[in-house]
Amino acid sequence: MDDPELLGQFLVALGDRERRSPHTIRAYRSTLRRFWDFLERGGPVCPDRLGALTPADFRRYLGERRAGGLSNRSAAREVSVIRAFFRWLRRTHGVTCTPGEHLSAPRVERRVPRPVAPDAAAALGTAADDADWTEKRDAAVLLLLYGAGLRISEALSLSAGDLSGDLVRVIGKGNKVRDVPVLPEIRHAIGAYTEACPLDLPADGPLFRGKNGGRLSPGLVRKRMREARAALGLPDSATPHALRHSFATHLLARGADLRTIQELLGHADLGSTQIYTEVDAAHLLDVYRNAHPRS
């Protein structure tokens, strides 16, 4: 089923303007189609109709979803998606309705990320000298996620020309550009991949390629992570995104300040970075409980 025109425009903007991942766009589409179907029960949906929505309309929608068993975490996500859609409507179509004033997201306890141990993270990014070029490629991607703290979508969006000396230029959410230092081990892993890769890697083309020459898909990286996780005996929590968490947690443990970590991760809000102080505190508590003679 085709998306309504307004939704289609918004979803395109998410990908083109804000560089959201395909997974995120699918989640936004699913939420907004449910909201759209709810509104269509009262008649055709257009900008004027959206601008005339009342607090009761938003509360009724969320009430129906909650009655269907929606969890606090899922409800908070739906509220966030609807708010983002109406911010876009205000900017592009002059719709002045502000659901943020009418929808209060339920409180959700933040999950503390579980970091991967440094030696395990380094092992994930190791490939034998005689490995196939795709194995060297996957090792380079995983090492980049850990060693530079990239989101998987950021790593796979890199062009060959984005690497320059000791830095990699990353385009993150909202097209925000940041330069991230690249350690010698990462440069070596990427160099091993590019040397072994049988495909052309022009400066303006994707750095990480699939076997057919297209941009490497996140699904293949996750598959490689599952295989490596099984081989190393790591828990299910050791995902590609956990490598980004590990990058931040290990920097904090070594004395890096939050502002520096914020810049390296590309967080717009320092509050998004402060969760890593909780991670480090949790680690210290584990060490204390396991080592202290009176614990």
Side-chain angles (χ1 to χ4, degrees):
M1 183 185 298
D2 292 337
D3 294 319
E5 184 176 355
L6 275 178
L7 290 191
Q9 292 174 3
F10 172 65
L11 295 171
V12 168
L14 281 181
D16 293 349
R17 184 175 182 273
E18 299 190 24
R19 298 181 65 85
R20 297 299 182 92
S21 71
H23 175 76
T24 297
I25 293 172
R26 285 194 298 271
Y28 272 58
R29 172 181 283 113
S30 179
T31 293
L32 291 173
R33 287 304 298 259
R34 284 192 295 269
F35 181 60
W36 200 272
D37 291 343
F38 166 81
L39 294 178
E40 283 188 327
R41 289 178 355 219
V45 182
C46 62
D48 288 343
R49 168 93 186 284
L50 292 166
L53 292 177
T54 66
D57 293 319
F58 292 106
R59 287 196 292 267
R60 189 164 57 251
Y61 169 73
L62 197 57
E64 286 191 11
R65 295 285 294 137
R66 297 285 279 177
L70 196 69
S71 68
N72 278 1
R73 187 172 298 277
S74 295
R77 280 197 296 266
E78 295 222 352
V79 169
S80 176
V81 169
I82 292 172
R83 285 174 175 169
F85 178 52
F86 275 83
R87 285 195 299 269
W88 175 82
L89 286 171
R90 184 184 186 92
R91 187 173 63 249
T92 59
H93 291 77
V95 172
T96 57
C97 180
T98 52
E101 298 176 0
H102 314 315
L103 281 175
S104 58
R107 293 181 64 85
V108 177
E109 183 179 354
R110 292 193 299 178
R111 294 175 179 171
V112 178
R114 296 180 61 184
V116 179
D119 56 345
L124 288 167
T126 301
D129 290 339
D130 59 350
D132 178 79
W133 72 270
T134 59
E135 295 176 297
K136 293 182 179 180
R137 174 202 64 197
D138 297 342
V141 172
L142 294 179
L143 192 57
L144 189 60
L145 298 183
Y146 172 64
L150 303 192
R151 301 175 178 94
I152 189 171
S153 59
E154 293 171 343
L156 300 188
S157 295
L158 291 176
S159 297
D162 290 330
L163 289 167
S164 177
D166 295 335
L167 297 173
V168 60
R169 174 149 293 188
V170 180
I171 302 177
K173 290 184 177 179
N175 281 333
K176 183 180 178 182
V177 179
R178 68 187 191 276
D179 290 325
V180 181
V182 178
L183 299 172
E185 294 87 346
I186 301 175
R187 294 200 306 272
H188 175 78
I190 293 175
Y193 151 64
T194 56
E195 184 176 343
C197 182
L199 306 170
D200 290 333
L201 299 172
D204 58 351
L207 172 60
F208 297 111
R209 304 286 192 101
K211 286 186 175 181
N212 294 326
R215 193 179 297 275
L216 182 62
S217 75
L220 287 176
V221 178
R222 295 189 182 98
K223 179 176 181 290
R224 167 62 178 160
M225 185 73 179
R226 288 194 298 271
E227 294 170 348
R229 191 168 63 210
L232 294 171
L234 299 177
D236 291 345
S237 59
T239 64
H241 199 63
L243 294 178
R244 172 173 159 88
H245 290 317
S246 304
F247 165 83
T249 304
H250 297 161
L251 282 181
L252 185 66
R254 293 295 186 93
D257 63 90
L258 281 178
R259 286 290 181 187
T260 299
I261 297 173
Q262 177 190 8
E263 289 297 319
L264 291 172
L265 292 175
H267 283 161
D269 179 9
L270 184 61
S272 300
T273 313
Q274 287 174 332
I275 191 172
Y276 294 106
T277 61
E278 300 173 18
V279 177
D280 198 49
H283 171 70
L284 291 175
L285 186 58
D286 284 343
V287 172
Y288 172 84
R289 285 172 173 165
N290 292 328
H292 196 282
R294 299 293 297 274
S295 64

